[in-house]
Amino acid sequence: MSFFERKLKNRKQKFKQKASPKNSRSRRAEYTVKISKSKRELNLMKRRNITITNNSNNSQTEIYIPTLDELPKFVDGIKNSKDTDRIEECTQMIRRMLSIEGDPPIDEIIKTGVVPYFVEFLKDSNNIFLQFESAWILSNICTGSSEQTSYVVNLDVIPVFLQLLDSESLDVIEQSIWALGNISGDNLGFRDKILSFPNSFKKILDVYHNKNINQSILKNTTWTISSLCRGVPSPDYEKVKNAFKYFGYLCKETTTDLIVDACWGLSYLSSGNSNQIDDLIATECLPRLVELLGHPSPRVKIPVIRAVGNVVTGNYQQTQSALECGLLEKLQPLFTHKRDQIKKEACWVLSNITAGTTEQIQKVIQSGFIPIIYNLIAETKIYVIKKEAIWTLSNAVWGGSAQDVINLVGSGICKAFVPWLQRKKEHSILKISLEAYAKILSIGEKISENEGLESNVYAQELEKLGIFEYIENLSNHENSNIQNLVAYILNNHFYTFQNQVNKNESNSTNQDEDLNKDYEF
């Protein structure tokens, strides 16, 4: 048995020897008062940084924040004192040192060797206050660097925090949830380590079923669960998929923080295959997500766009489900949002819709999006926005009907792809631009055939814009797929068009000579 185990066993035995129902109730009440004061400090600390004051009853009381010079005496009190009150006081002082904003002395505290004591204090169910303060300390250490978080994790603290989710104290539960969220958020290995414990995710989800759960615990639980669902590669979906129903419910809340974390969770869980998108739709929260696109806070908009965007990456019916919720109407104002990230994400969503069926592309065109996208390309200086916008147009051209392409060309989109023909190193965007021109020229051939015209009407337009010259410059491109696409366009459309023009010019010259001869005759 280790030193810590012997010491804590002796302390537990002392508590048991003196315990009586009356004394136990009194002790729990005392801890509750102490915890309430500590939680008040937490709330104030978020507002007041280092100096904490209370102006109630027209008096001002500052909560004492220890200096680093005092750390040795607190460490000594924890390691060597046999007085419970002294141990509690020293633990709380160290917690206050770690609760300051800016640069808390995490390394200095770790170097004292006192942190393992806090892990042992977590296991002392007879002292809820000490559990609470220790959980808070360890949670704050886990907000530090990966090395600092690893130090705590290597003390085998994860199963202890999971066990504390069954505590009779909501405050201990909250701090344990908070700590698990900090650990999970540090790296994917820790995320998977938490999920590797039997029923660990279920235990965290079960916190939602606590009848006494308050808004603060609800928020921290949602944030932690969302953190456990995040990351690339994704966690084992079978382990985390049950969070869908909770996120689906919580996104219907009115509290911004809850909505944000729930929507991020939905976006993480739905970023996989078609079955995962179906699971999101099954929560019946899709209409709410579409509604939240109009939320005033960008913190809400971004995860909502991601979640809805995942839905429209799916199959026809999944995309249609989002459209039937009024997605296009809610999406349109986002293209003029002041935040560039929101514009970019909106373009990404729309590009996935224009990658859908002909009917869905027509819906986008009929909703007036093409001029919006075209103007966005012309006006924005943000490269990633332009790129997503070009994908939107290219998908619309490639997947649209002949009439759709005619309408798109009529709106002037041929010019939009020209700058991308000069980006020879960006193969994907160059390829989709060439594919768009190939589809446009193909439709031009059909128009010419149907109307009995001698040459491709769209080839004439591309020639006027100098586009064929840019395409010819790509004939020796390093990418074979692009080479083949360029050869197809030139051989099947441009050279045929040139030959027809040359033939027409030749016929025109011969006619002029005949006219002259006739005149001379």
Side-chain angles (χ1 to χ4, degrees):
M1 184 181 293
S2 70
F3 167 76
F4 299 117
E5 289 172 337
R6 286 198 304 273
K7 188 167 184 177
L8 287 173
K9 182 179 180 181
N10 290 336
R11 287 196 59 231
K12 288 181 182 179
Q13 287 174 343
K14 285 200 299 181
F15 274 116
K16 288 179 181 178
Q17 288 169 359
K18 296 181 179 180
S20 71
K22 182 178 179 180
N23 288 337
S24 295
R25 285 194 296 273
S26 176
R27 189 67 176 165
R28 282 197 295 271
E30 180 185 348
Y31 290 149
T32 300
V33 171
K34 289 181 179 180
I35 289 173
S36 296
K37 290 180 179 178
S38 294
K39 288 186 69 181
R40 174 179 153 276
E41 291 179 28
L42 173 62
N43 293 331
L44 289 172
M45 192 71 77
K46 289 180 179 177
R47 286 201 306 266
R48 303 278 185 103
N49 295 329
I50 296 174
T51 303
I52 309 169
T53 60
N54 178 19
N55 292 321
S56 61
N57 300 322
N58 296 319
S59 65
Q60 186 177 64
T61 304
E62 290 193 359
I63 295 175
Y64 180 67
I65 306 297
T67 65
L68 192 58
D69 291 338
E70 297 175 274
L71 178 59
K73 73 177 181 182
F74 300 139
V75 172
D76 180 71
I78 291 170
K79 288 184 176 182
N80 299 316
S81 177
K82 296 181 180 180
D83 179 65
T84 301
D85 290 336
R86 175 63 179 159
I87 293 171
E88 290 176 359
E89 178 189 8
C90 291
T91 300
Q92 187 177 63
M93 290 300 105
I94 290 178
R95 187 267 298 163
R96 288 185 183 178
M97 294 175 71
L98 286 170
S99 297
I100 63 171
E101 291 196 8
D103 188 22
I106 296 176
D107 273 336
E108 289 82 354
I109 290 170
I110 289 175
K111 288 174 183 177
T112 66
V114 75
V115 176
Y117 286 81
F118 302 133
V119 177
E120 293 303 320
F121 293 162
L122 290 180
K123 302 172 185 177
D124 185 3
S125 59
N126 291 306
N127 193 327
I128 294 174
F129 175 73
L130 204 53
Q131 284 183 318
F132 169 73
E133 291 286 349
S134 298
W136 191 343
I137 287 171
L138 295 169
S139 180
N140 280 351
I141 292 175
C142 290
T143 64
S145 67
S146 288
E147 290 76 14
Q148 292 161 345
T149 305
S150 295
Y151 176 79
V152 174
V153 172
N154 289 337
L155 295 173
D156 202 25
V157 76
I158 291 175
V160 183
F161 280 129
L162 289 170
Q163 185 63 37
L164 286 175
L165 299 182
D166 295 324
S167 172
E168 65 183 51
S169 167
L170 288 177
D171 301 304
V172 171
I173 290 173
E174 181 172 17
Q175 285 302 316
S176 299
I177 279 284
W178 201 326
L180 289 168
N182 284 337
I183 292 169
S184 172
D186 187 82
N187 66 67
L188 301 184
F190 290 159
R191 177 201 70 186
D192 294 338
K193 187 176 181 68
I194 292 171
L195 293 173
S196 70
F197 288 91
N199 297 316
S200 58
F201 199 67
K202 181 180 182 301
K203 284 183 71 70
I204 296 171
L205 288 177
D206 283 347
V207 174
Y208 283 131
H209 299 295
N210 190 312
K211 63 181 180 181
N212 297 316
I213 192 171
N214 57 39
Q215 193 75 6
S216 178
I217 300 175
L218 188 62
K219 176 185 176 299
N220 279 303
T221 302
T222 305
W223 169 71
T224 295
I225 294 171
S226 179
S227 179
L228 287 165
C229 296
R230 182 180 59 209
V232 179
S234 301
D236 183 342
Y237 182 66
E238 290 301 313
K239 290 182 178 179
V240 298
K241 67 179 183 180
N242 288 339
F244 253 130
K245 63 181 180 181
Y246 298 98
F247 290 144
Y249 172 79
L250 290 167
C251 77
K252 299 172 185 176
E253 289 278 332
T254 57
T255 306
T256 297
D257 286 341
L258 272 177
I259 295 172
V260 168
D261 291 330
C263 290
W264 274 121
L266 288 170
S267 75
Y268 301 144
L269 288 175
S270 60
S271 63
N273 56 38
S274 182
N275 291 335
Q276 289 172 237
I277 297 172
D278 277 339
D279 286 345
L280 183 149
I281 295 172
T283 67
E284 299 183 351
C285 69
L286 189 53
R288 171 61 172 165
L289 288 174
V290 172
E291 177 190 353
L292 286 171
L293 288 172
H295 195 281
S297 172
R299 291 178 57 229
V300 172
K301 288 181 187 293
I302 292 172
V304 169
I305 295 171
R306 294 279 182 88
V308 174
N310 288 340
V311 174
V312 297
T313 64
N315 58 38
Y316 160 77
Q317 189 54 53
Q318 289 166 339
T319 301
Q320 195 62 28
S321 296
L323 293 177
E324 289 171 1
C325 292
L327 173 58
L328 291 177
E329 180 184 351
K330 288 290 185 180
L331 198 62
Q332 202 166 85
L334 303 183
F335 288 91
T336 55
H337 197 277
K338 62 182 179 181
R339 288 191 60 170
D340 291 329
Q341 184 181 1
I342 289 177
K343 292 179 193 173
K344 170 185 166 289
E345 299 284 353
C347 284
W348 171 67
V349 173
L350 196 64
S351 72
N352 282 314
I353 299 172
T354 58
T357 65
T358 301
E359 291 78 11
Q360 289 166 348
I361 293 170
Q362 287 172 351
K363 186 71 173 175
V364 171
I365 295 172
Q366 291 165 3
S367 298
F369 276 95
I370 301 306
I372 293 173
I373 295 296
Y374 190 75
N375 290 337
L376 192 60
I377 293 171
E379 294 172 4
T380 186
K381 295 180 180 179
I382 309 300
Y383 169 74
V384 290
I385 296 178
K386 287 179 179 285
K387 190 172 181 179
E388 290 294 345
I390 283 294
W391 273 103
T392 301
L393 292 182
S394 177
N395 288 343
V397 171
W398 189 248
S401 65
Q403 187 58 52
D404 292 332
V405 174
I406 291 169
N407 293 338
L408 290 167
V409 173
S411 68
I413 69 161
C414 288
K415 296 178 183 178
F417 299 102
V418 173
W420 303 94
L421 298 180
Q422 302 168 61
R423 292 183 174 271
K424 295 184 179 182
K425 296 295 183 183
E426 299 186 46
H427 297 180
S428 62
I429 202 77
L430 180 55
K431 183 173 179 288
I432 65 167
S433 298
L434 289 168
E435 286 173 345
Y437 283 129
K439 176 68 179 287
I440 288 168
L441 289 165
S442 177
I443 297 299
E445 291 285 356
K446 292 179 180 178
I447 293 172
S448 300
E449 289 175 10
N450 292 338
E451 297 185 8
L453 303 175
E454 293 181 343
S455 61
N456 188 327
V457 291
Y458 291 156
Q460 294 177 27
E461 183 163 347
L462 267 58
E463 176 69 4
K464 289 177 184 177
L465 294 171
I467 292 171
F468 282 126
E469 183 178 347
Y470 289 115
I471 295 176
E472 278 190 302
N473 289 337
L474 297 169
S475 296
N476 297 317
H477 195 274
E478 60 188 31
N479 183 282
S480 59
N481 291 328
I482 291 174
Q483 276 188 33
N484 294 336
L485 192 52
V486 167
Y488 169 81
I489 292 172
L490 295 177
N491 292 331
N492 290 276
H493 298 292
F494 179 52
Y495 295 146
T496 302
F497 168 72
Q498 268 193 333
N499 291 336
Q500 187 62 51
V501 170
N502 292 337
K503 180 180 177 182
N504 290 342
E505 288 176 351
S506 176
N507 289 339
S508 176
T509 301
N510 290 336
Q511 288 173 5
D512 289 343
E513 290 175 356
D514 290 341
L515 286 172
N516 289 336
K517 287 178 183 179
D518 290 342
Y519 177 76
E520 291 172 356
F521 177 80

